[in-house]
């Protein structure tokens, strides 16, 4: 029992970096923030809190190698941004490619500039990622044993290592299909 408990503890704290919405090769995103879960926006040089006002969203764009972040009257530029809960933990947020797709995530968002596009990576707990993959890969009425087997396979793949230069995994079938938690 002691061995089982000691092996289970690191898994609960393990994190993965998953590149999201990369198929769109977008230079523009909208980050929707809930007043119940405001985000700390950090450029490495400047910080501010967004989402305190109801319905506030953050526009994320790029100009050359710089990222431009706008939230209300606040605008800052930088080369890398992180968006996380005010207390430093995980946050619930919606990331959208304007006019195409919006997805809800739980974790922290990291934005950098890639080859002519913004690269968006969600840093999330391993078990959140496993649950998201299982929900994406199987229908909701799949037998419980099938869901358990998918969870084992997904978890094994997610802990197997680094598969991309900018993230551990991506949210497409290239790695494992991942949608909302």
């Amino acid at each position: 029992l002691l061995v089982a408990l000691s092996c289970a503890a690191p898994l609960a704290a393990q994190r993965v970096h998953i590149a999201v919405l990369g198929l769109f090769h977008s230079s523009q995103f909208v980050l929707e923030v809930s007043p119940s879960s405001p985000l700390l926006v950090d450029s490495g040089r400047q910080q501010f809190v967004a989402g305190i006002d109801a319905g506030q969203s953050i526009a994320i764009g790029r100009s050359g190698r710089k990222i431009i972040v706008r939230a209300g009257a606040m605008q800052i530029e930088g080369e890398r941004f992180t968006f996380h809960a005010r207390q430093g933990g995980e946050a619930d947020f919606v990331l959208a490619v304007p006019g195409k797709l919006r997805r809800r995530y739980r974790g922290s968002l990291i934005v950098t500039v890639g080859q002519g596009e913004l690269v968006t990576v969600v840093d999330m707990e391993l078990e959140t990622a496993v649950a998201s993959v299982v929900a994406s890969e199987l229908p909701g009425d799949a037998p419980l044993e099938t869901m358990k087997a998918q969870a084992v396979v997904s978890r094994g793949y997610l802990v197997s290592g680094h598969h991309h230069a900018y993230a551990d995994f991506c949210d497409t079938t290239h790695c494992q299909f991942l949608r909302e938690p």
Side-chain angles (χ1 to χ4, degrees), residues 169-180:
F169 307 94
C170 67
D171 65 346
T172 70
T173 55
H174 172 265
C175 288
Q176 285 193 53
F177 190 46
L178 178 131
R179 283 191 274 194
E180 299 181 349

Side-chain angles (χ1 to χ4, degrees), residues 2-3 5 16 19 26 44 55 71 80 98 147 159 164 167 171:
L2 182 59
V3 172
L5 291 175
V16 292
S26 187
R80 174 188 165 96
M147 289 185 195
V159 299
H164 288 277
D171 65 346

Side-chain angles (χ1 to χ4, degrees), residues 123-144:
D123 171 19
M124 67 176 66
E125 289 184 6
L126 173 65
E127 293 308 313
T128 300
V130 169
S132 299
V133 169
V134 170
S136 300
E137 296 276 358
L138 295 173
D141 62 350
L144 181 59

Side-chain angles (χ1 to χ4, degrees), residues 8 11 15 21 25 49 58 81 85 88 93 116 127 138 174:
L11 282 179
R15 305 192 65 78
L21 306 180
H25 306 285
V49 176
I58 302 170
F81 278 85
F93 59 89
E127 293 308 313
L138 295 173
H174 172 265

Side-chain angles (χ1 to χ4, degrees), residues 90-171:
E90 297 206 323
D92 292 312
F93 59 89
V94 173
L95 185 62
V97 178
K100 295 186 180 180
L101 181 72
R102 59 190 303 275
R103 281 217 177 115
R104 187 174 60 88
Y105 297 100
R106 177 159 184 77
S108 299
L109 177 66
I110 303 161
V111 180
T112 57
V113 176
Q115 297 289 338
E117 66 188 11
L118 291 173
V119 176
T120 51
V121 175
V122 177
D123 171 19
M124 67 176 66
E125 289 184 6
L126 173 65
E127 293 308 313
T128 300
V130 169
S132 299
V133 169
V134 170
S136 300
E137 296 276 358
L138 295 173
D141 62 350
L144 181 59
E145 294 304 314
T146 302
M147 289 185 195
K148 288 179 182 179
Q150 179 67 49
V152 169
V153 170
S154 297
R155 189 176 298 105
Y157 185 77
L158 290 170
V159 299
S160 70
H162 194 78
H163 295 272
H164 288 277
Y166 45 87
D168 299 327
F169 307 94
C170 67
D171 65 346

